[in-house]
Amino acid sequence: YTTLSQTWHANVVRISIFPTQWKNMDRPTLLAGLSSEINAALDSGMYVIISYHVIGWPDGYSQPAYPGNPADTYDSSMSVATSFWTQMAQIYGADTRIIFDLWNEPVHDAMDYVGSDPNPYWAPLKAYYETLIQTVRSNGGQNIIIATGNRWASWLVGIKDNPLADSNVIYAYHKYSINGLNTPAEWDKDMGGLLGVKPVIVSEWGYEDVDVSNPTWPGSEASYGDPFTQWMDSHNLSSLAWMYHHDWTPALLKADKSLTLYGAFAQQYILANSSS
């Protein structure tokens, strides 16, 4: 956290807890570890986003876990989510330096990659969010809340005309490099007119350059990095680059802790936008 704050000049970090951790780890050990991470970030002068790192639909579809991970990694049951946010609100609800990311990536089913307008999924998803927001507020949570749309947080269509009622909500957008779709027109379409109407943050973005073998999100500074960051800047969007680790993609770091090409680009972007 000191490196991120002092070398990168980052002012916010996103710390994820997976449903399987909340269900299966020793709870006092998990909470102590989370507290240690959060306090280290806060002591470094950064805001913290706590992300409930589920991928799936409330009480419905759950994305299968990657090989080597527990089958219930992305358990999408509302009871587990409600338990998590009840305790987070009780512990961190008075500290407004901490932001609550309610549901990492809503995915209705395996075919949810097809975006539609009008969007049939937003209204039911909104109802689940309202339940979780009430959980946070009724347990003392004064925090800013992050919510997003479906299709792995990449489809915000429907929100503009039917937003969440809570006044302390911002909406998240996740977008990675996809060959042939790295254009402002595509990113604008994903927004569904929300930009300029409600607060939006890009809480995940990234690409994998030529230094990565078999990339999932192939791209380059020219094909994705420059156009996407310029698009964000044109809309005054704050953002978090994914991922400060070498074992998840797109990775900012290599296994030896040196920067990937994407990591070097992201670091320079953050530095260029830093106020410190």
Side-chain angles (χ1 to χ4, degrees), residues 117 122 126 156-164 192-194 197-198:
D117 186 1
W122 170 247
K126 177 189 174 185
L156 279 63
V157 170
I159 298 174
K160 177 178 75 71
D161 296 323
N162 187 21
L164 291 160
L194 191 62
V197 177
K198 293 292 183 180

Side-chain angles (χ1 to χ4, degrees), residues 205-266:
W205 65 272
Y207 64 96
E208 294 166 286
D209 214 318
V210 293
D211 57 333
V212 176
S213 300
N214 302 313
T216 302
W217 309 106
S220 66
E221 181 175 336
S223 72
Y224 172 87
D226 282 336
F228 189 69
T229 54
Q230 289 166 10
W231 176 82
M232 289 195 293
D233 290 346
S234 73
H235 294 292
N236 297 311
L237 292 171
S238 297
S239 70
L240 293 95
W242 180 274
M243 176 344 149
Y244 194 71
H245 199 277
H246 63 83
D247 200 32
W248 291 71
T249 61
L252 295 162
L253 305 176
K254 300 177 183 177
D256 64 4
K257 301 182 182 179
S258 64
L259 297 177
T260 60
L261 289 173
Y262 154 59
F265 175 84

Side-chain angles (χ1 to χ4, degrees), residues 11-27:
N11 63 1
V12 59
V13 292
R14 186 164 172 254
I15 298 172
S16 298
I17 298 292
F18 290 85
T20 188
Q21 293 174 295
W22 189 248
K23 289 171 58 183
N24 300 316
M25 283 184 67
D26 176 73
R27 190 64 55 79

Side-chain angles (χ1 to χ4, degrees), residues 55-75:
I55 304 179
W57 198 256
D59 283 336
Y61 173 81
S62 295
Q63 181 163 294
Y66 293 101
N69 291 285
D72 63 352
T73 293
Y74 299 120
D75 187 315

Side-chain angles (χ1 to χ4, degrees), residues 3-59:
T3 298
L4 285 170
S5 175
Q6 295 184 5
T7 303
W8 290 62
H9 290 188
N11 63 1
V12 59
V13 292
R14 186 164 172 254
I15 298 172
S16 298
I17 298 292
F18 290 85
T20 188
Q21 293 174 295
W22 189 248
K23 289 171 58 183
N24 300 316
M25 283 184 67
D26 176 73
R27 190 64 55 79
T29 300
L30 176 61
L31 289 174
L34 178 60
S35 176
S36 176
E37 300 292 326
I38 288 173
N39 287 329
L42 295 176
D43 289 346
S44 295
M46 290 188 285
Y47 291 91
V48 171
I49 297 172
I50 299 175
S51 174
Y52 185 61
H53 214 77
V54 58
I55 304 179
W57 198 256
D59 283 336

